[in-house]
Amino acid sequence: MKITELHIDGTARGAIEIARSRLMWAVIFFAAGFLLLAGRLVSLSLFQQTGSPHKGARGGAKVIMTERASITDRNGVVLASNLKSKSLSVNPRRAEEPELMARQIVNILPNVNYQKLLEGLKSSKNHRWVQRKLTPKQIWAVNSLGYPALKLENTEIRTYPHGNIFSHLLGYVGVDNQPFAGAESFFNDRLTDPERSDEPLVLSVDLRVQYILRRELYSSMKKFKAIGAAGIIMDVNTGEVIAMTSLPDFDPNLVSSPKGKGMFNRITGGVYEMGSIFKAFTIAMALDAGIVTMKDGYDASKPLKIDRFTIRDDHPKARWLNVPEIFTFSSNIATAKMIHDVGRDEQKAFLKRLGMLSKVRLELTGLAAPLIPKFWGEIESTTISYGHGIAVTPVHLITGVASMVNGGRLISATLIKQKTVRHDEKNKSEKNLLIKTSYSSGQTLEKSQIISEKTSEEMRNLFHLVVEKGTGKQAKVEGYSVGGKTGTAEKAGVGGYRKKDLISSFVGIFPVDKPRYVIFVMLDEPKGIEETQNFASGGWTAAPAVGKIIKQIGPILNIMPSQDKKLKYEDYIMVSDH
Amino acid sequence: MKIFIKIFVLSMILLSVVMLYNIKEKTNDLQREKAHLSQKILASQMALRILKVEKDYLSRPSRLEELSKRYLRLEPVIVSQLIASLDEFQAFEIFPSAPSFKKKIGNDNGAFGNFIVPHFKPDVKFLENGKSLREIFVSSPVNVEASKLMIKTALQREQENYISINNSLRKITFKEKLRAKYGDFK
């Protein structure tokens, strides 16, 4: 093909040049447009990302299963979970026959107030809630009414399958699933983290143990007509709280505001004078400092006078008592003399190291600070030696007692399940096991040596003596070696102590030769009954409850019966307490 | 010649355009299917969650306790049903040549799997017959009375055999030993 070249000059040439350049622009414009389309086509068909099933069809953000993650116990049993549900709302402007509609709704939802609903339906608003969280049957019935004014909106219900059993520990949520109290509140950020919404929060508690603890506490509370009760079970080696209950309690399924009965958690929110259980700390500090040995003792024949106070014994022996006897018979006089030898500053420092003077650390909200005397004088020091004049929470106490018996290590209590360690591996010595336990437990575990291992062993023997020979006999369990200490304190009232109103408690350690668990049970104002010869002290009320609990939870927690442990220091005790 | 090349290039372009379009359509279909499956997975996960909660609600301890009382003869395991080690349970020391069976059957996963309730399987054989004595440890909670009965029947049978085979070992009071451990069978 040969192109004939034309040479045009003049005005015609100018016009052609203009046409050409315009044509050029059009070509560039269209070419760019088509190039853009082609590029987009390639990118859409070849390079579009594929994702997990949790991504939406358009590759959007991860679909959130529920607003709050579930909570389970250490064995994976669900304690709290969000389930999808519907809430009924109404658009009053579109309601044509308010009376008929209100009557029909009240028939389906008996909790709705007819008058209020009718008022709502006659109002001129766009949106009103009728009832939240309907059951599937109710949803079906509402749908079958077929009113366009009614609207079912997606909501989530926080469900607690075990009702009252975990009330204080878990806390509860409000109408919009906002957390109140307990683990719900403390772990709120974790529970509402969208990245972990289908990964449950695993707590250290065990449903079976918790159930038994609550049942026994409840029956003791009824039996002794107490106004309240509390109990806590802790693993001495890891600090894991296995069970924790405070009575009276509530059903978190039914509660949505912090009003009403049973909302007070005695375990973390209440501070109590713990009475004689504190003697364990006094004796431990004296033994550990080498101020006394097991053979030494003090004269407890006469009541002790300090200033205007007179210190008496509840179980007077009226003679010289050695250390095992002081603990076993719970002598106030001898303990008071002992702390005098230890010294006030040492006592304060020891209790501070034990965490008794600061707020307790546990993954719950509403933790109470202990009540400690402003001035740590002679009389304060003396009364604190046997558990009066200082008020701590049960968590303080159980953490302290655990450190007395677990080899002397202070391990803070935790509600998070720690990595498990096989406790029954036979080839490993006890010492190896303890080290392994503390390594495996991660960051929440803070430990420091409070007393030496030798003192801790002596303390174990003393606790064992109390149950075998002393005030805690009713906590004995056939097949297990149990140690413990009773505590009875008069409640402080206006202008002094109220003689009749007691806090009766017992702390149990089992198995005492190789402690695994420590149990604390406390009854608030128990009344003596005929069966207990009208006594309401810890040895008569709380100790039998601890015995019953150990008997039931031992097999569940895989504690094998101990072969008869030889009672050490038994010879030191002259007369058995009757 | 040139024209053929041009036609070829043009048809290739057309072909690739058609293929690209097809791929895109298929991808879209797959994506729709994926979205649909995702929906189903999420719905199933939610249903699973509901079922799990319901399961845990139905197996709450108070309800199980009541049902167990009503329909089963099972009671909670008590301490005397447990043994710390097989060395302790040497009812078998009466057969001095019996190899002690030290392996523990069961698991350590907590729950009820780790309870050892000893009872004899009726196939207990004697060494004198050239057969080994076997202890069977069942890893489930068993009614105390039921396990006592099983031990009793097994022992009675075996003891009868035992007397007829060898009288020299008669003095060992197997029954007494168990009576001391489990109380009187009657």
Side-chain angles (χ1 to χ4, degrees):
Chain A
M1 230 193 312
K2 197 173 180 193
I3 298 160
T4 320
E5 293 193 3
L6 284 171
H7 292 280
I8 301 165
D9 286 324
T11 47
R13 180 182 173 147
I16 284 171
E17 283 292 314
I18 288 166
R20 264 194 188 154
S21 68
R22 281 181 183 168
L23 211 63
M24 201 60 203
W25 281 114
V27 166
I28 289 170
F29 177 76
F30 276 103
F34 277 107
L35 213 67
L36 201 75
L37 282 179
R40 180 74 183 133
L41 187 69
V42 170
S43 85
L44 275 179
S45 48
L46 296 182
F47 302 117
Q48 195 162 41
Q49 295 227 330
T50 50
S52 74
H54 285 288
K55 293 222 168 140
R58 279 156 215 268
K62 189 178 170 184
V63 175
I64 297 166
M65 267 255 293
T66 50
E67 289 165 7
R68 285 181 87 76
S70 299
I71 303 177
T72 73
D73 83 342
R74 63 186 302 119
N75 302 315
V77 178
V78 177
L79 306 183
S81 189
N82 266 28
L83 300 181
K84 293 241 189 287
S85 176
K86 305 258 185 198
S87 290
L88 181 65
S89 68
V90 66
N91 181 352
R93 285 191 183 180
R94 294 177 70 185
E96 280 162 7
E97 297 171 48
E99 283 86 3
L100 178 69
M101 196 166 157
R103 216 171 301 128
Q104 282 174 330
I105 290 173
V106 172
N107 276 341
I108 298 167
L109 309 168
N111 292 341
V112 176
N113 184 308
Y114 176 79
Q115 285 304 330
K116 269 192 181 170
L117 179 63
L118 196 62
E119 272 172 41
L121 289 175
K122 286 180 174 170
S123 72
S124 56
K125 285 181 179 160
N126 274 330
H127 183 273
R128 269 191 104 94
W129 286 110
V130 179
Q131 189 172 323
R132 289 170 194 258
K133 296 161 188 178
L134 271 63
T135 65
K137 265 188 191 171
Q138 291 170 336
I139 292 169
W140 186 85
V142 167
N143 272 329
S144 65
L145 288 179
Y147 286 115
L150 294 178
K151 198 178 168 197
L152 286 165
E153 296 180 28
N154 285 329
T155 47
E156 291 185 6
I157 315 182
R158 191 77 170 155
T159 314
Y160 302 91
H162 300 289
N164 284 33
I165 296 181
F166 284 100
S167 48
H168 290 293
L169 203 146
L170 291 178
Y172 57 97
V173 294
V175 280
D176 292 318
N177 287 342
Q178 72 275 35
F180 288 107
E184 291 279 17
S185 182
F186 187 89
F187 293 109
N188 191 35
D189 290 345
R190 156 68 180 83
L191 291 168
T192 52
D193 184 353
E195 288 296 312
R196 302 171 80 183
S197 74
D198 45 2
E199 180 190 325
L201 172 71
V202 183
L203 297 185
S204 62
V205 291
D206 188 317
L207 168 67
R208 301 162 301 169
V209 178
Q210 174 86 6
Y211 171 70
I212 290 167
L213 175 70
R214 185 175 179 275
R215 188 181 57 190
E216 290 306 328
L217 278 182
Y218 194 80
S219 74
S220 294
M221 193 175 119
K222 285 271 166 280
K223 190 174 171 185
F224 298 107
K225 297 189 182 69
I227 59 164
I232 179 167
I233 301 176
M234 191 176 116
D235 188 320
V236 296
N237 293 318
T238 61
E240 288 172 295
V241 174
I242 304 296
M244 190 176 110
T245 236
S246 167
L247 294 173
D249 54 15
F250 57 90
D251 186 347
N253 289 306
L254 306 176
V255 179
S256 54
S257 69
K259 290 172 201 158
K261 284 179 182 172
M263 304 305 283
F264 177 58
N265 186 355
R266 283 162 211 271
I267 291 287
T268 52
V271 290
Y272 304 92
E273 290 182 301
M274 293 298 182
S276 308
I277 299 176
F278 257 68
K279 284 175 191 152
F281 305 135
T282 306
I283 290 177
M285 63 182 104
L287 284 173
D288 204 50
I291 287 159
V292 292
T293 67
M294 288 301 228
K295 282 179 185 168
D296 299 333
Y298 291 91
D299 180 27
S301 55
K302 275 176 282 185
L304 183 68
K305 278 198 174 167
I306 296 173
D307 294 346
R308 58 193 176 88
F309 294 93
T310 311
I311 293 158
R312 292 190 174 80
D313 277 357
D314 293 331
H315 313 267
K317 289 275 172 277
R319 61 179 170 85
W320 183 91
L321 300 171
N322 59 34
V323 170
E325 286 176 322
I326 293 168
F327 197 58
T328 311
F329 304 138
S330 204
S331 168
N332 294 342
I333 302 166
T335 318
K337 286 181 174 170
M338 194 186 290
I339 205 65
H340 187 77
D341 287 354
V342 173
R344 269 185 276 168
D345 294 339
E346 281 71 18
Q347 181 191 28
K348 198 172 175 181
F350 185 87
L351 292 178
K352 194 175 179 183
R353 275 200 296 146
L354 211 50
M356 293 286 165
L357 307 185
S358 49
K359 223 180 197 181
V360 73
R361 295 182 66 176
L362 187 68
E363 298 92 341
L364 286 180
T365 52
L367 301 175
L371 286 179
I372 44 178
K374 280 183 192 131
F375 174 69
W376 203 284
E378 185 67 30
I379 187 69
E380 286 81 7
S381 162
T382 310
T383 57
I384 286 170
S385 77
Y386 55 87
H388 286 74
I390 185 168
V392 296
T393 67
V395 183
H396 278 109
L397 189 84
I398 201 165
T399 315
V401 172
S403 69
M404 294 293 109
V405 296
N406 69 1
R409 298 158 306 134
L410 181 71
I411 296 169
S412 34
T414 176
L415 275 175
I416 294 291
K417 187 185 178 185
Q418 310 289 313
K419 278 175 203 149
T420 48
V421 181
R422 283 170 60 102
H423 286 271
D424 49 351
E425 282 182 89
K426 278 182 186 163
N427 298 336
K428 301 215 162 56
S429 69
E430 169 79 346
K431 207 171 174 182
N432 277 342
L433 205 137
L434 289 176
I435 291 165
K436 208 174 154 192
T437 314
S438 51
Y439 274 135
S440 67
S441 310
Q443 290 182 328
T444 50
L445 199 102
E446 280 181 29
K447 59 183 182 58
S448 59
Q449 200 75 25
I450 296 289
I451 53 171
S452 68
E453 276 200 33
K454 184 176 159 280
T455 312
S456 177
E457 204 204 324
E458 285 172 339
M459 289 312 294
R460 288 202 287 270
N461 284 310
L462 289 178
F463 280 120
H464 194 196
L465 273 177
V466 171
V467 171
E468 292 294 329
K469 300 276 169 193
T471 49
K473 277 182 198 152
Q474 303 214 36
K476 249 191 237 180
V477 180
E478 202 188 329
Y480 288 134
S481 55
V482 178
K485 181 78 190 88
T486 56
T488 311
E490 286 156 15
K491 278 174 99 171
V494 183
Y497 285 101
R498 293 178 284 166
K499 286 269 174 208
K500 288 273 170 192
D501 299 338
L502 303 176
I503 293 284
S504 299
S505 53
F506 186 82
V507 64
I509 297 114
F510 90 106
V512 76
D513 41 340
K514 227 188 226 180
R516 288 278 307 279
Y517 297 100
V518 47
I519 302 182
F520 174 76
V521 160
M522 179 190 96
L523 290 168
D524 196 345
E525 297 185 20
K527 319 285 182 295
I529 55 172
E530 215 171 296
E531 191 189 319
T532 65
Q533 299 159 32
N534 288 325
F535 284 116
S537 57
W540 286 101
T541 56
V546 169
K548 277 182 206 162
I549 293 164
I550 291 176
K551 195 176 163 190
Q552 292 172 75
I553 66 171
I556 290 176
L557 294 170
N558 200 14
I559 308 284
M560 289 299 151
S562 3
Q563 278 144 358
D564 299 324
K565 184 194 183 310
K566 214 181 144 253
L567 206 53
K568 229 179 162 186
Y569 309 115
E570 191 184 356
D571 318 339
Y572 288 36
I573 291 174
M574 303 267 280
V575 199
S576 178
D577 187 51
H578 290 293
Chain B
M1 190 61 204
K2 266 186 176 173
I3 191 92
F4 286 117
I5 292 169
K6 279 184 179 167
I7 289 169
F8 178 74
V9 169
L10 206 69
S11 59
M12 279 292 122
I13 289 169
L14 274 174
L15 193 74
S16 61
V17 166
V18 169
M19 276 170 72
L20 199 62
Y21 180 75
N22 263 341
I23 290 170
K24 185 181 153 51
E25 280 301 296
K26 273 186 191 163
T27 315
N28 273 350
D29 284 352
L30 284 174
Q31 245 162 11
R32 265 192 291 275
E33 200 185 323
K34 199 195 95 184
H36 181 65
L37 287 175
S38 299
Q39 284 286 324
K40 273 175 101 174
I41 289 170
L42 284 175
S44 305
Q45 279 176 346
M46 201 60 224
L48 271 179
R49 188 181 263 233
I50 291 171
L51 288 175
K52 175 114 178 59
V53 172
E54 192 163 341
K55 188 202 92 189
D56 288 339
Y57 173 70
L58 289 175
S59 51
R60 58 196 191 278
S62 51
R63 183 171 175 270
L64 287 188
E65 203 170 39
E66 203 178 290
L67 289 177
S68 163
K69 255 182 212 159
R70 203 186 299 166
Y71 298 112
L72 304 169
R73 285 183 58 221
L74 295 180
E75 279 168 27
V77 175
I78 55 168
V79 188
S80 61
Q81 278 174 298
L82 305 180
I83 51 167
S85 72
L86 292 186
D87 302 332
E88 191 200 322
F89 196 70
Q90 284 298 339
F92 309 99
E93 67 202 18
I94 52 161
F95 307 109
S97 47
S100 67
F101 189 75
K102 303 236 165 167
K103 204 179 161 202
K104 180 176 153 192
I105 301 168
N107 59 42
D108 290 318
N109 296 337
F112 285 99
N114 42 22
F115 296 137
I116 300 175
V117 180
H119 59 83
F120 296 4
K121 225 181 167 186
D123 66 79
V124 179
K125 297 286 176 353
F126 289 106
L127 288 162
E128 283 71 20
N129 285 350
K131 286 163 189 168
S132 63
L133 181 80
R134 295 177 69 196
E135 332 155 13
I136 303 298
F137 293 90
V138 176
S139 57
S140 68
V142 173
N143 188 311
V144 191
E145 292 306 317
S147 62
K148 278 181 188 172
L149 195 74
M150 283 170 88
I151 295 171
K152 187 189 164 191
T153 48
L155 283 179
Q156 272 176 352
R157 193 184 303 167
E158 296 313 321
Q159 236 175 13
E160 281 162 20
N161 285 345
Y162 177 63
I163 298 157
S164 66
I165 296 163
N166 192 343
N167 284 324
S168 64
L169 286 172
R170 182 64 186 84
K171 59 182 176 183
I172 295 136
T173 53
F174 203 171
K175 216 171 178 181
E176 271 173 30
K177 219 161 199 178
L178 277 138
R179 193 174 281 148
K181 200 165 179 74
Y182 294 103
D184 203 338
F185 294 136
K186 280 167 194 172

